[in-house]
Amino acid sequence: MNNSMIIGQYVPAESVIHKMDPRSKIAIIFFFVLIVFFANSVMSYGLLTVFGVTAAASSKVPLRFIMKGLTPVWFLIIFTFLLHLIVTKEGDVLYNLLGWKIYEEGVVQGAAISLRFFLLILVTSLLTLTTTPIEITDAIEELLGPLKKIRFPVHELALMMSISLRFIPTLMQETEKISKAQASRGVDFRTGSFKDRLKAIVPLLVPLFVSAFKRAEELAMAMEARGYRGGEGRTKLRELKVGKVDFMIYALFLLVVIGLFLTRS
Amino acid sequence: MDITFDQVSYVYQPGSPFEHRALQDISFSIQSGSFVAIIGHTGSGKSTLLQHLNGLMQPTSGRVSVGPYDMEAGKKNKRLRELREKVGVVFQYPEHQLFEETVSKDIAFGPENFGVEEQEIQTRITEAVRATGLSEELLERSPFDLSGGQMRRVAISGVLAMNPEVLVLDEPTAGLDPSGQREIMDMFHNLHKEKQLTTVLVTHSMEDALKYADHIIILNNGEMYREGTPLEIFKQKEALEAVQLDVPEVIEFLAKVEEKMNIRLPYEGQSVAELAKDLARMVKGGRDLE
Amino acid sequence: MSHFPGNSQLSRGGEELEKNQIEFRNVSFRYHDEAPWVLRDVSFKIDADEWVAIIGHNGSGKSTIAKLMNGLLFPQEGEILVSGQKVEPDTIWDVRKQVGMVFQNPDNQFVGTTVRDDVAFGMENHGMPRELMVERIRESLQAVSMTDYERQEPHRLSGGQKQRVAIASVLAVSPKYIILDEATAMLDPKGRKEIMQTIRDVQGARNLSLITITHDLQEVTQADRVIVMNNGEVWMEGTPRDIFSEKDRLIDIGLDTPFISKLADELMNAGLTISREPLNHQELLEELWTLHSTK
């Protein structure tokens, strides 16, 4: 009945960012994370901010979803800013509050670091907001492909991820079901001391594990029956394609990178 | 215990885009000691209704009372524990709730939670396994070493050991083979009579509803669709077909006999042998068969 | 039902036939050396285009038969031939392409994150080219009437729908034999009807042997032939009509018979002459009609 759950943060929409190949997205984010640390002037920060905000805007993901992704890190951003404000003692004193001096350099550095943080989180959360978990899995499998040569189990890892994604809703339903059954037998999950609550978890966890193992066993058998024997000789239905959109965005990103190095001080 | 639903509605995730009205203005009452079957398709609201019976869910509007316990929309019920002790629920595939090291510990789990004394628990365990037909030799075994059918009986014993006055059964025979199904249902029916329980059975099986229930409630899309004795309900073939429910095979066959041969033999709970006798006589046009 | 080892080599016609058969020759199986035998000296054949139902109470060895058929298990004694090929570790990949299986639990066999991914899974394993997969996905979803759900996630489907997807997944690899191992046991009546309808459609449209392992008597009456298992042995083999005329013996081994069959028996006890074991309402009604009009 509870079909409403959305796995991860994916927000479906028709946008340039959604259309991009997930590998392109991951690659660009990777390089973006790198170059953010090269920014050191107002102009270069400005450029990166424009890029980040434009990307967010063109994703057509409603602002509140983006903000929701940022909630857990707001604290960190503000904390970093304050830390710099307190620790840095260079430059002119801007303000003197009851003997606590705020230096210009503190404000500048604090703002810069916080902005960096903000940009990093914004851009990386765009990945999960515009890409389904399964697309991310496919992309990771492709990107890690070369590691197969050194016997790194890339295919197995990707399969594991996709099966986990597939079974998350099933296990959530199961958890709900078992906790209701145990509540009917007098377990109280909500009140009592910490120790009591910890004890109440056992009747929930044991059945969950038992059933997860049983599922795994049956699934393995079903997979074998359907001819599964590892990644060798396997073809794939899901295919990743780098298209026009991707090349346009590569070009744009390249411009940003060049711009960044030109505007560095 | 008497059970009353008074204009009960239940809404999942109200106010969200996923808002879903699972029960709509449901009213009925069940007399203490009766055996009630609740019928309806998957998604008709049966399991939502069932969860109101022991306070796992609270009505969004309206009122549920089970014996002296009331659950009203927006009000907190402080006697939830007592209620849950009095109302035993056997969920679908109840063997999935087993977790203890031994069968006897698992059966004792419910009564222990409700603070029943150790000695009393031992008596109840013995009684419960006797009722469900489990051998006492299994008591010290791990429930996970048992067969599927035995595990189901252990889980049911665990509910019975709470000594409930109301027994709620959510498709208790799902996944069992025919003889297992018959044994479990007969067992519940015996317990119902012996202990004068109030039994609420959620089922897909019209045959079981006909055989065991003395009152039937049909839900459709969260609303009360029909209510009555099995014979009243199953007379209404068209009404049942309209919501894609079957009538029990015996009634369906007798209806076909009437249609084809104009022989009217109303079903009143006769056994197959009794029916056959009447039918044979009528087919032969009352001629003596001996 | 005994078979002579040399029997199949008699004629070329026999060999042709064998190409589309599953054959169990004196198969015995147990899980390990000390465990009791799950199957004892089991022999039978399943022909091309045939629908065979295997029944028996829980623990009678029915499901083991299914797992032996596509090499999920191997027998200690005897041999199993699928299209003339012996099932052994070297041949299982080939065998599994020919023998499709649908299991009991709708959730625990749904591998893909969406319907189309799941249908593709088997084809991917067999290394089929992508274009062919896309075509087969369309075809097989059509065959089970699930076309509209191609991009749907499994937790949004009912049990019956998931099982239809499982059937589509099997069809996509175009097997010669499909085994349904209690595939309807966990479904509600509506889901059960859906699956039975799907199976009938599919078997009618394609040349397939169908093996249904079941408790559902309704399912049994529709099969061409029934194999009754009891305590690991083939207890009886015959048409549904033959089988259900042995009511008392079936009940002895923990099985049931359909209502209509019980009623026919009681009618005979009450002095009517029922000329043949009825399998459905229609058949018994006709018998009664004949008796009624000739009174």
Side-chain angles (χ1 to χ4, degrees), chain A residues 14-29:
Chain A
E14 287 277 321
S15 82
V16 184
I17 311 283
H18 282 82
K19 277 202 195 96
M20 277 174 77
D21 186 304
R23 289 170 302 179
S24 308
K25 286 191 239 185
I26 292 178
I28 287 182
I29 287 165

Side-chain angles (χ1 to χ4, degrees), chain B residues 41-42 93 177-179 182 204 244 246 249-250 252-253 256-257 260-261 263 272-273 276-277 280 282-285 287 289, chain C residues 57-58 185-186 188-190 193 215 254 256 259-260 262-263 266-267 270-272 281-282 284-286 288-289 291-292 295:
Chain B
H41 275 299
T42 311
Y93 298 99
D177 63 13
S179 59
R182 215 173 24 233
H204 282 302
Q244 290 164 31
D246 297 323
E249 206 180 346
V250 66
E252 193 191 344
F253 184 73
K256 284 182 186 165
V257 169
K260 187 171 169 109
M261 301 191 275
I263 291 180
V272 179
K277 229 181 233 162
M282 292 165 100
V283 165
K284 283 284 181 189
R287 210 155 31 112
L289 287 162
Chain C
H57 61 83
N58 282 349
M186 290 178 78
D188 60 8
K190 198 173 152 206
K193 273 183 213 158
H215 291 306
D256 207 355
F259 163 77
I260 211 70
K262 283 181 196 146
L263 182 62
E266 292 296 345
L267 284 170
L272 288 190
H281 291 187
Q282 198 51 39
L284 184 57
L285 278 174
E286 272 159 23
L288 291 178
W289 178 244
L291 290 167
H292 189 52
K295 67 185 171 197

Side-chain angles (χ1 to χ4, degrees), chain A residues 107-263:
Chain A
V107 176
V108 171
Q109 278 198 23
I113 303 289
S114 305
L115 184 62
R116 226 179 246 178
F117 241 135
F118 170 78
L119 285 175
L120 288 181
I121 306 293
L122 177 72
V123 173
T124 42
S125 66
L126 267 188
L127 175 71
T128 47
L129 285 167
T130 64
T131 324
T132 60
I134 193 71
E135 278 180 317
I136 296 180
T137 308
D138 287 339
I140 291 176
E141 183 175 7
E142 288 283 314
L143 290 171
L144 295 183
L147 292 182
K148 277 182 195 155
K149 289 209 180 82
I150 58 162
R151 297 279 184 85
F152 187 78
V154 177
H155 162 75
E156 285 75 7
L157 199 72
L159 185 77
M160 244 167 62
M161 279 173 65
S162 94
I163 287 178
S164 313
L165 290 172
R166 144 76 185 91
F167 276 93
I168 288 170
T170 312
L171 290 178
M172 302 265 293
Q173 283 169 0
E174 183 121 354
T175 311
E176 195 189 326
K177 200 192 116 183
I178 296 171
S179 65
K180 277 183 175 162
Q182 305 300 32
S184 304
R185 292 210 281 168
V187 177
D188 190 345
F189 292 104
R190 297 219 178 89
T191 55
S193 67
F194 180 70
K195 206 181 138 208
D196 287 344
R197 286 201 219 183
L198 212 62
K199 254 177 85 186
I201 295 287
V202 177
L204 181 61
L205 278 188
V206 174
L208 262 180
F209 271 103
V210 170
S211 114
F213 276 115
K214 190 168 171 250
R215 283 185 196 282
E217 210 181 307
E218 289 187 18
L219 187 72
M221 184 163 280
M223 284 169 63
E224 229 187 290
R226 281 161 73 181
Y228 180 74
R229 47 173 159 173
E232 199 110 342
R234 233 176 154 254
T235 45
K236 290 196 75 180
L237 173 72
R238 288 179 170 283
E239 89 183 333
L240 299 176
K241 257 196 198 137
V242 178
K244 247 193 251 160
V245 182
D246 295 85
F247 287 112
M248 270 161 52
I249 293 187
Y250 293 158
L252 205 70
F253 185 65
L254 196 66
L255 287 179
V256 172
V257 175
I258 295 170
L260 174 81
F261 284 97
L262 291 178
T263 51

Side-chain angles (χ1 to χ4, degrees), chain B residues 30 62 100-101 145 151 155 205 212 232 240 260 265-266 274:
Chain B
I30 295 173
E100 279 284 15
E101 292 153 60
D145 290 342
M151 282 168 79
S205 162
Y212 301 107
E232 281 164 19
L240 288 168
K260 187 171 169 109
L265 180 56
E274 288 163 351

Side-chain angles (χ1 to χ4, degrees), chain C residues 10 13 18 39 105 123 125 135 171 209 219 222 225 239 264 270 282:
Chain C
L10 284 180
E18 198 185 50
L39 293 180
N105 192 319
M123 295 192 279
N125 292 335
E135 195 186 309
L171 288 178
S209 307
E219 257 177 73
Q222 295 180 31
R225 201 153 57 89
T239 62
Q282 198 51 39

